[in-house]
Amino acid sequence: MNIPVLNLAEFIIRVESFNANINIPLIRRAYEFSGKAHQGQVRESGEPFIVHCLNVAMILAELHLDSTTIAAGLIHDVVEDTEYTLDRIRDEFGEELASLVDGVTKLGTVEFKSREEQQVEYFRKMLLSMARDIRVILIKLADRLHNMRTLHHLNTDRRKRIARETRQVYCPLAHRFGIARIKIELEDLTLKYLHPNTYADIVSKLELRKDERDTYIAGIIEPIKRILTDAGIKAEVHGRAKHIDSIYRKIKYRKVPFEQIADLFAIRIISRNKAECYHILGLVHEAWKPVAAKFADYIANPKPNNYQSLHTAIFGPGGKIIEIQIRTREMHYVAENGIAAHWLYKEGRQELDKTDKQMMWLRDVLDWQKDMTNPSEFLELLKIDLFAEDIFVFTPAGEIKHLPAGATPLDFAFSVHTEVGLHCSGAKINGKIVPLGTRLESGDKVEILTSPHRHPSQDWLKTATTSNARARIRRWLKQAGYDQAVELGKELLDRSLKRHRLKMPTDDEMLEIAQSLSHHSVEGLLCAIGNGTISTRQIIFRIGPVEEKEEKEETVEEVLEKFRSERGIKVEGMDSMMFRIAGCCQPIPGEEIIGYITRGRGVTIHRADCPAAQELIKHPERTVPVTWDAAKDQTFVVRLEVTVEPRKNILADITESIADSNTNMRGADIDLTTTSTRGFIIVEVSSLNQLERVLSKIKKVKGVISVKRAYADGKEKHGRK
């Protein structure tokens, strides 16, 4: 429903019909403030902008929210769409209301690399604001609901973009917080704009069969009422058709036409207390045959969004399946209004109980999102967390754990405690030992086996499905890589100090050196040394004085060792992990690679077809996924073996041929005193294609017998001759 412009008196009368205890002076001030701020502004529909503000406030009133929230609904767009500032709102209405408006305001003039990054940062801000005051999401959902009700005024592209975002984020958020009345309407509206033909088809078919449906439902409701009356139970009985999006999902996932969907109907019975709910369930099952596997007790086992009800299904007249929900009036109110039903401002509370399941979910999201730097990854995990259907499993002590469908024992382990997850070595489901990747089902009893010697590996990221478990695994792997880099940094610095006959600086001196190199701590500096970001030479010159020595020409092995520590590789989940390029195969961009965790040396990068790598992958627990992450101007060193005739100027000709291919030569080691000379050349290349060009150029030099890539063990993989 879209209400028109209402004068102040009309608006207050409507609001009071939902909340008789509203703060009329506050509502009046917010109404007048919003009208003045948005004066002259119109929406795409041509309506005055204030119409949107009134509708958002009215949706909040229908949720029976407090006066501050309704007032915030009236002025929620002021900062974003007018010249009025947040400070102005704070001066006019105080910190509490200003904080609510700030929580739903977009990120202003901050520049982002992409729309996706901007969207992610806005969601982060919204989540943080929700954690401080859950009313932020209630205002945002009301705002989105009215925008969806009036979406037909926008062009097709904008309709689809907004509807898609609503489907992916706001519908599941409404579900997470248990607000069924908003969730259902948002789902139907997104279907209307994302699949307009399908939506129109379902609506027309429902309308055509409305009389038939009403007659059929009445044929169930009346007998239920008689049964309840005979049993002395006073309860409300209502019949309804499933909402449009629910029917669409049945058609899509069951792959059956509309006409063959049996459970289009649902009956809701609202009783006086919990005991009557179970009594009614027994009476219904006695009167009609229940459908096997269609019973769920959400009273004893509430959903994470606090939803409670008994669900069953019966075979009605004609063999049609009828879903029945049985709940108390309080449960029904919570089911319709969700987290809004828990908001108890009349008791002076401004936040929900920390143990509330919905708030626990929000805190989990806030925890894992700290480690998310990739916008796509953050959005994907957020959507997975929002959309996940729930199952419930039991600990050995009988405690219930809610997990998303598809969860594994590893996810269960992290839901029990982080330390249990980090040391998980195995699992039992219903008394039987199972792989950690086994999918759990509702009702399973799960026992986790632990070992102090067991720690996460990269493979765990493939096994875990929940964002909570994956975030904690990533954090451990990242920390493990960091700790390893710190230890290596200590060792490298100590060796360098001994080589230059210098003493280890004091802690204060080391902190001063760290800060001079833009590091906040000594540990951070040591990590940078260990992962190759900073050289020990930079530290030594700050400790000095260092005796100047004549620089000697670097040998082939010294050049290779130096370049093996350069960046250009991305190790999944281990941003701080030190790595080195394997000398046996010297991979370069364009070649498939694998990483192998080497004790004390970080991750060693091999070509996938390297013989050494084939032996290493027999230990999968120590292999990690790696990809090239080299900049366009980044180069990698390759050692080439050449066999040449010892003629005059041949080395100069080889050098010139390398230069002709726009390639830099780092060094050469060729003995021209024998009749058939074998030697080595080091070149810098950025890719496999560039290496092929270099080999081709050298091969054409007069007197070059052969040229090929050389390996540390002297073996040749494949090259050019």
Side-chain angles (χ1 to χ4, degrees):
M1 180 184 69
N2 186 42
I3 64 171
V5 177
L6 298 175
N7 63 38
L8 178 59
E10 292 171 329
F11 179 72
I12 288 176
I13 289 170
R14 286 211 184 191
V15 172
E16 279 189 311
S17 68
F18 297 103
N19 185 346
N21 299 314
I22 63 165
N23 182 338
I24 293 178
L26 174 62
I27 299 298
R28 183 184 66 248
R29 285 166 49 215
Y31 178 97
E32 293 170 348
F33 186 88
S34 181
K36 183 178 178 182
H38 292 295
Q39 188 170 15
Q41 293 183 343
V42 294
R43 306 188 80 214
E44 295 280 350
S45 62
E47 293 177 314
F49 195 91
I50 189 67
V51 170
H52 171 64
C53 304
L54 292 172
N55 275 275
V56 171
M58 192 56 63
I59 292 169
L60 295 168
E62 290 168 3
L63 290 171
H64 304 279
L65 289 164
D66 60 291
S67 301
T68 303
T69 310
I70 296 170
L74 284 168
I75 63 174
H76 74 280
D77 271 333
V78 165
V79 175
E80 193 171 313
D81 293 331
T82 77
E83 295 180 356
Y84 286 56
T85 64
L86 195 62
D87 287 336
R88 174 74 180 275
I89 293 176
R90 193 174 285 111
D91 292 340
E92 291 275 350
F93 298 98
E95 181 60 41
E96 182 186 349
L97 196 146
S99 178
L100 292 176
V101 173
D102 183 40
V104 296
T105 299
K106 292 180 182 174
L107 298 166
T109 58
V110 180
E111 292 187 6
F112 298 95
K113 295 177 183 177
S114 65
R115 177 178 178 80
E116 182 183 52
E117 183 182 0
Q118 182 181 31
Q119 184 187 39
V120 165
E121 291 310 313
Y122 173 60
F123 287 144
R124 284 187 200 270
K125 176 189 175 185
M126 189 172 69
L127 289 169
L128 289 168
S129 299
M130 286 160 53
R132 291 191 293 268
D133 195 325
I134 202 65
R135 291 174 296 176
V136 166
I137 192 56
L138 299 175
I139 297 169
K140 188 60 194 176
L141 287 171
D143 174 51
R144 180 52 61 110
L145 178 56
H146 185 251
N147 282 333
M148 288 298 297
R149 286 174 177 175
T150 56
L151 201 61
H152 56 281
H153 294 294
L154 304 184
N155 63 48
T156 303
D157 288 343
R158 290 179 66 191
R159 286 181 203 167
K160 287 188 177 294
R161 176 177 61 77
I162 294 171
R164 193 173 296 112
E165 181 184 78
T166 302
R167 167 72 72 176
Q168 293 176 340
V169 177
Y170 292 101
C171 289
L173 268 175
H175 171 68
R176 270 285 168 186
F177 291 110
I179 313 171
R181 65 164 67 190
I182 289 181
K183 168 185 174 282
I184 289 171
E185 188 174 353
L186 284 178
E187 286 178 341
D188 284 352
L189 287 169
T190 58
L191 179 66
K192 179 179 180 180
Y193 293 109
L194 292 177
H195 304 285
N197 293 335
T198 302
Y199 177 87
D201 183 55
I202 294 173
V203 169
S204 65
K205 287 177 178 176
L206 284 174
E207 189 61 32
L208 283 172
R209 299 176 60 179
K210 184 177 184 304
D211 292 341
E212 175 190 339
R213 184 174 66 249
D214 290 346
T215 301
Y216 186 90
I217 291 177
I220 297 291
I221 290 177
E222 291 308 315
I224 290 177
K225 286 181 176 179
R226 286 197 300 271
I227 291 169
L228 297 181
T229 301
D230 292 344
I233 297 174
K234 291 183 179 180
E236 298 175 25
V237 186
H238 306 285
R240 61 184 179 87
K242 296 292 185 67
H243 68 282
I244 300 166
D245 185 72
S246 173
I247 295 170
Y248 164 72
R249 279 185 269 122
K250 290 180 187 294
I251 293 171
K252 181 179 179 181
Y253 295 113
R254 294 184 187 177
K255 300 187 184 303
V256 294
F258 176 90
E259 291 72 19
Q260 292 182 22
I261 298 177
D263 52 346
L264 286 171
F265 315 104
I267 303 290
R268 184 171 292 149
I269 305 172
I270 299 176
S271 70
R272 292 173 297 185
N273 55 59
K274 190 187 298 185
E276 281 189 347
C277 290
Y278 289 99
H279 189 180
I280 292 168
L281 176 69
L283 293 172
V284 169
H285 282 181
E286 188 177 345
W288 289 276
K289 181 181 178 181
V291 179
K294 280 282 189 176
F295 171 70
D297 186 348
Y298 294 115
I299 293 180
N301 301 303
K303 291 186 177 183
N305 62 8
N306 286 329
Y307 174 89
Q308 287 185 289
S309 190
L310 294 177
H311 285 198
T312 189
I314 60 171
F315 290 103
K320 292 182 179 179
I321 296 174
I322 311 295
E323 289 188 4
I324 296 180
Q325 300 169 351
I326 308 169
R327 60 180 70 152
T328 66
R329 176 153 297 283
E330 182 184 357
M331 293 173 190
H332 180 62
Y333 184 73
V334 171
E336 291 294 297
N337 298 289
I339 207 162
H342 299 270
W343 205 254
L344 303 175
Y345 273 89
K346 58 188 177 184
E347 297 180 8
R349 292 174 55 192
Q350 293 192 355
E351 61 179 33
L352 291 166
D353 189 334
K354 298 290 186 187
T355 61
D356 185 276
K357 292 177 182 177
Q358 293 148 321
M359 295 303 289
M360 290 172 69
W361 168 80
L362 180 56
R363 287 197 300 277
D364 283 342
V365 172
L366 290 174
D367 185 41
W368 62 251
Q369 67 88 30
K370 294 174 186 175
D371 297 325
M372 295 290 104
T373 55
N374 183 306
S376 298
E377 187 177 19
F378 171 81
L379 274 182
E380 192 59 35
L381 282 177
L382 179 63
K383 291 170 189 175
I384 289 171
D385 242 43
L386 287 172
F387 272 113
E389 290 295 327
D390 296 305
I391 61 171
F392 60 90
V393 293
F394 297 92
T395 68
E399 181 186 353
I400 294 175
K401 291 289 180 182
H402 285 273
L403 292 168
T408 66
L410 193 57
D411 297 307
F412 175 87
F414 278 97
S415 76
V416 172
H417 195 281
T418 299
E419 286 301 310
V420 174
L422 293 176
H423 298 289
C424 176
S425 60
K428 292 182 179 179
I429 297 179
N430 303 323
K432 295 181 180 179
I433 294 179
V434 297
L436 288 178
T438 304
R439 291 184 61 155
L440 299 174
E441 296 181 0
S442 279
D444 281 343
K445 180 180 177 182
V446 186
E447 179 184 352
I448 298 299
L449 310 176
T450 61
S451 166
H453 307 295
R454 181 71 168 177
H455 298 291
S457 69
Q458 284 290 328
D459 286 340
W460 283 25
L461 290 171
K462 301 173 185 175
T463 302
T465 63
T466 62
S467 54
N468 175 47
R470 291 169 64 84
R472 280 161 173 72
I473 293 167
R474 278 198 180 92
R475 190 175 300 168
W476 189 93
L477 292 172
K478 186 175 182 178
Q479 185 62 42
Y482 178 85
D483 292 343
Q484 191 173 33
V486 170
E487 288 301 313
L488 183 63
K490 286 180 184 176
E491 182 181 341
L492 291 173
L493 180 59
D494 186 56
R495 286 165 54 186
S496 186
L497 288 169
K498 288 178 180 177
R499 190 165 60 249
H500 289 91
R501 297 180 181 178
L502 294 172
K503 291 183 179 179
M504 175 67 77
T506 65
D507 291 346
D508 290 341
E509 289 170 339
M510 278 298 292
L511 180 59
E512 188 176 336
I513 293 170
Q515 292 172 342
S516 72
L517 291 168
S518 302
H519 286 273
H520 299 299
S521 66
V522 175
E523 191 178 74
L525 177 65
L526 294 173
C527 176
I529 297 171
N531 63 31
T533 306
I534 291 178
S535 69
T536 55
R537 180 176 294 186
Q538 291 172 272
I539 313 297
I540 295 300
F541 279 122
R542 281 170 168 76
I543 297 173
V546 179
E547 182 181 343
E548 291 291 336
K549 295 183 179 180
E550 182 180 349
E551 291 291 331
K552 65 175 183 177
E553 186 176 349
E554 292 176 306
T555 66
V556 170
E557 287 303 325
E558 286 171 339
V559 173
L560 284 172
E561 192 60 38
K562 175 183 175 182
F563 275 76
R564 282 171 193 159
S565 65
E566 289 193 352
R567 305 301 297 174
I569 302 290
K570 185 175 183 180
V571 183
E572 184 180 334
M574 300 186 184
D575 295 340
S576 300
M577 175 66 84
M578 183 203 71
F579 65 85
R580 59 189 292 274
I581 302 294
C584 57
C585 54
Q586 302 166 28
I588 56 178
E591 297 179 311
E592 188 178 349
I593 52 176
I594 63 170
Y596 183 78
I597 299 176
T598 309
R599 291 188 178 90
R601 305 190 74 177
V603 176
T604 302
I605 310 300
H606 291 267
R607 280 170 51 169
D609 60 352
C610 171
Q614 296 305 307
E615 288 298 314
L616 297 176
I617 61 176
K618 293 178 181 178
H619 307 281
E621 72 281 358
R622 293 176 64 186
T623 60
V624 293
V626 291
T627 54
W628 290 107
D629 189 29
K632 287 184 179 179
D633 58 350
Q634 188 169 349
T635 57
F636 297 78
V637 293
V638 177
R639 181 167 58 177
L640 305 179
E641 180 184 339
V642 293
T643 304
V644 300
E645 296 172 357
R647 69 170 177 81
K648 186 178 179 180
N649 295 328
I650 190 168
L651 186 55
D653 291 344
I654 291 174
T655 302
E656 185 177 351
S657 72
I658 293 172
D660 285 345
S661 65
N662 293 319
T663 302
N664 186 34
M665 187 173 81
R666 293 289 304 177
D669 185 3
I670 301 177
D671 183 3
L672 297 173
T673 60
T674 58
T675 54
S676 181
T677 298
R678 176 178 173 268
F680 300 95
I681 298 170
I682 301 173
V683 294
E684 293 180 28
V685 297
S686 60
S687 67
L688 187 59
N689 288 337
Q690 185 179 3
L691 176 61
E692 292 291 337
R693 290 197 301 271
V694 173
L695 292 169
S696 179
K697 288 281 187 181
I698 296 174
K699 180 176 178 286
K700 293 176 182 177
V701 174
K702 183 180 178 182
V704 172
I705 298 171
S706 68
V707 57
K708 59 189 178 184
R709 288 174 72 172
Y711 299 88
D713 59 3
K715 294 179 181 178
E716 175 193 355
K717 286 293 293 177
H718 47 76
R720 299 177 66 91
K721 286 192 177 181

